[in-house]
Amino acid sequence: MDEKTYARELFEQTFVAIQHATDVAASIILLRDAYKLSHVTYHMAQTIASRIDAPFVRTTYPPNWVSRYLQQGYFNIDPVLIEGVSRSLPFLWSELEVTPAAQRLFEDATQHGLGISGYAIPIIDRCGRRALVSLNIDMPQDQWSALVVHYRAHWLELAHGLHTKALVELYGKEDPAPPLGRRERECLHWAALGKEYKDISCILGISDHTARGYLKSARFKLSCANIPQAIAKAISLRLINPV
């Protein structure tokens, strides 16, 4: 069997396995083992405010490292997480500009047995929600880069499969979040922060009439009688993060 055929069959088997897995936790283990990775993490992040949250995270990292990561507040300086919830294209960890604080994070991670190389796959779904799938391995960077080139198209599809699995786990088979447009989410975000139409129009560089129109259409899509109800529902569905 040639490498291309093997890669395709491996992808198809893993794709089906993830579809039939009980939850995201089981799915990331399947992905990790299928591609002989060290660890896989799925993180559903926030959207408009560009603030990092951890409402839904599943990882194969050992519990002692997860506890240390949280206790040390590493989520505030982790460049993979920070860049992952703002970028739209996948990236190698080695491409990141690492601050001294982040360098200490990576050194600490290495001392806890985590891999030295990684690949991050940002996800933005039709409702504007962001997620991040991060793959980690203990492998020299040049070998890892070659492996990423070989599998990245398949990994992108599998990452979206994990996101679909996460939405089902969170909301059931029917996703309750309507596909709000970017401007609708932005207007709701600023309205949630107490901004009036005039303020929102200035912030976004649109007319008062247009700002009203976006808020009205967002309210209709959310099936709410007024803007405060629409804001509350958008927050509950994690479509906006007014912080």
Side-chain angles (χ1 to χ4, degrees), residues 42 44 123 125 129 131 158-168:
Y42 170 87
M44 185 177 288
I123 297 169
D125 68 18
R129 291 168 300 204
L158 293 171
H160 280 274
L162 289 176
H163 185 60
T164 299
K165 178 73 69 174
L167 294 176
V168 170

Side-chain angles (χ1 to χ4, degrees), residues 56-85:
F56 188 88
V57 180
R58 297 293 183 268
T59 185
T60 63
Y61 286 133
N64 65 327
W65 170 249
V66 174
S67 296
R68 181 167 179 79
Y69 183 93
L70 295 173
Q71 291 170 357
Q72 295 295 318
Y74 282 152
F75 50 85
N76 289 316
I77 60 171
D78 185 347
V80 176
L81 184 55
I82 293 170
E83 291 293 322
V85 296

Side-chain angles (χ1 to χ4, degrees), residues 31-44:
L31 177 57
R32 179 197 65 185
D33 294 348
Y35 288 92
K36 298 180 174 58
L37 302 167
S38 297
H39 295 288
V40 175
T41 299
Y42 170 87
H43 180 152
M44 185 177 288

Side-chain angles (χ1 to χ4, degrees), residues 78-95:
D78 185 347
V80 176
L81 184 55
I82 293 170
E83 291 293 322
V85 296
S86 59
R87 294 194 185 194
S88 58
L89 297 177
F91 57 90
L92 290 163
W93 292 6
S94 59
E95 298 172 3

Side-chain angles (χ1 to χ4, degrees), residues 105-231:
L105 157 62
F106 285 133
E107 290 172 357
D108 195 6
T110 301
Q111 291 172 5
H112 280 77
L114 276 64
I116 60 174
S117 299
Y119 187 58
I121 305 171
I123 297 169
I124 307 174
D125 68 18
R126 67 188 182 89
C127 296
R129 291 168 300 204
R130 282 187 171 272
L132 180 68
V133 174
S134 190
L135 313 178
N136 172 254
I137 197 167
D138 187 12
M139 177 182 289
Q141 188 57 53
D142 56 343
Q143 296 179 29
W144 175 237
S145 297
L147 200 65
V148 168
V149 170
H150 190 59
Y151 288 122
R152 60 188 174 190
H154 291 162
W155 286 345
L156 179 60
E157 288 194 50
L158 293 171
H160 280 274
L162 289 176
H163 185 60
T164 299
K165 178 73 69 174
L167 294 176
V168 170
E169 190 169 333
L170 282 167
Y171 304 122
K173 292 187 177 181
E174 293 297 327
D175 185 351
L180 296 183
R182 177 175 63 88
R183 284 302 198 194
E184 290 168 332
R185 297 194 308 274
E186 289 174 340
C187 287
L188 276 176
H189 165 71
W190 289 112
L193 293 176
K195 301 299 183 182
E196 300 292 339
Y197 298 117
K198 188 174 182 179
D199 299 321
I200 295 172
S201 66
C202 290
I203 292 169
L204 299 180
I206 57 180
S207 69
D208 291 8
H209 176 75
T210 301
R212 287 175 181 269
Y214 281 129
L215 284 171
K216 183 177 182 180
S217 62
R219 178 172 65 81
F220 286 167
K221 289 181 180 180
L222 289 163
S223 300
C224 293
N226 53 51
I227 297 301
Q229 288 180 6
I231 290 170

